[in-house]
Amino acid sequence: GAGVSQSPRYKVAKRGQDVALRCDPISGHVSLFWYQQALGQGPEFLTYFQNEAQLDKSGLPSDRFFAERPEGSVSTLKIQRTQQEDSAVYLCASSSRGRLGGYTFGSGTRLTVV
Amino acid sequence: GDSVTQMEGPVTLSEEAFLTINCTYTATGYPSLFWYVQYPGEGLQLLLKATKADDKGSNKGFEATYRKETTSFHLEKGSVQVSDSAVYFCALSPAGTASKLTFGTGTRLQVTL
């Protein structure tokens, strides 16, 4: 597609519920990133894929967070047993390999845990 | 580890005023530096970038110069418009890779008539 598409745009979850956030990157973009942006803060890195390989997951805050990209295109970020501190905007970005700064961000999914 | 520090906002300016948003960084080697902008209700957009010392990135009247000696990448615009009202994020990534970005906390700019 023309841009990075994320769904849903908004998600309200009850505490303890599992959620799945989807990212559809730009076609052909090898690299895919997930970021978490808390209210009033800058985005914080969560995890990075190159094709289907998850090369860096150092930013995932706990083992309740899991990301996958099984076919090297669409990615899903899953959060199990959501907690209130998980409330944030989750941003996905994709990039052409080797293209410095060519990150394109999606509009994000705003997750609110109540 | 890598870090980015940018001036706290909000910054409120009248239209046609001069804008400076300060950004300094801590990183090993020669990272690439970026400014991203987030307009209300929209996603992050790349505004400009610089990949080596003394490079100047520019776009839409905005400029920033990569200063290795002061580890800075200050954003400037000579004459702001109401439409420039947004949140501006300074960011860096390690040199030579399409690696993760480290962002500052963002600076909100509000331009009034």
Side-chain angles (χ1 to χ4, degrees):
Chain A
V4 177
S5 177
Q6 291 188 247
S7 61
R9 187 76 176 87
Y10 302 94
K11 176 68 178 178
V12 178
K14 292 184 178 179
R15 191 160 57 93
Q17 185 179 355
D18 296 350
V19 298
L21 312 180
R22 177 188 168 102
C23 173
D24 199 341
I26 292 174
S27 178
H29 275 193
V30 169
S31 300
L32 185 145
F33 304 81
W34 284 98
Y35 289 82
Q36 179 190 58
Q37 186 176 17
L39 188 64
Q41 300 297 313
E44 296 277 347
F45 170 80
L46 293 177
T47 188
Y48 160 53
F49 290 86
Q50 187 168 306
N51 294 308
E52 69 278 4
Q54 189 174 20
L55 299 186
D56 188 345
K57 55 181 181 179
S58 61
L60 295 177
S62 76
D63 58 8
R64 296 186 295 104
F65 286 71
F66 172 76
E68 60 183 6
R69 193 186 185 197
E71 298 178 357
S73 56
V74 172
S75 177
T76 304
L77 176 67
K78 298 179 179 178
I79 308 173
Q80 297 177 324
R81 305 182 301 282
T82 52
Q83 303 295 316
Q84 282 195 317
E85 61 263 28
D86 300 335
S87 296
V89 176
Y90 291 85
L91 298 170
C92 177
S94 69
S95 172
S96 298
R97 182 176 182 177
R99 182 179 171 193
L100 291 174
Y103 306 89
T104 302
F105 281 84
S107 297
T109 294
R110 181 178 296 279
L111 172 66
T112 303
V113 181
V114 298
Chain B
D2 297 346
S3 67
V4 175
T5 302
Q6 57 182 110
M7 63 188 290
E8 290 191 18
V11 174
T12 303
L13 295 173
S14 298
E15 199 170 45
E16 299 183 0
F18 184 85
L19 168 71
T20 300
I21 300 178
N22 290 336
C23 171
T24 58
Y25 68 90
T26 301
T28 56
Y30 290 82
S32 295
L33 302 173
F34 308 89
W35 277 99
Y36 280 81
V37 59
Q38 190 170 36
Y39 297 103
E42 299 184 15
L44 284 165
Q45 300 175 27
L46 178 65
L47 181 60
L48 54 83
K49 67 178 181 181
T51 58
K52 60 183 187 294
D54 300 324
D55 267 2
K56 177 184 284 187
S58 61
N59 186 26
K60 299 181 181 179
F62 291 89
E63 293 182 339
T65 301
Y66 188 142
R67 300 289 188 197
K68 179 66 175 173
E69 64 275 14
T70 55
T71 61
S72 65
F73 193 55
H74 304 322
L75 182 68
E76 297 182 335
K77 187 174 186 183
S79 176
V80 293
Q81 305 299 311
V82 172
S83 57
D84 294 327
S85 298
V87 181
Y88 292 81
F89 293 93
C90 186
L92 68 81
S93 72
T97 68
S99 184
K100 63 185 180 184
L101 291 167
T102 299
F103 285 88
T105 54
T107 302
R108 180 174 299 279
L109 169 65
Q110 184 160 353
V111 181
T112 60
L113 290 172

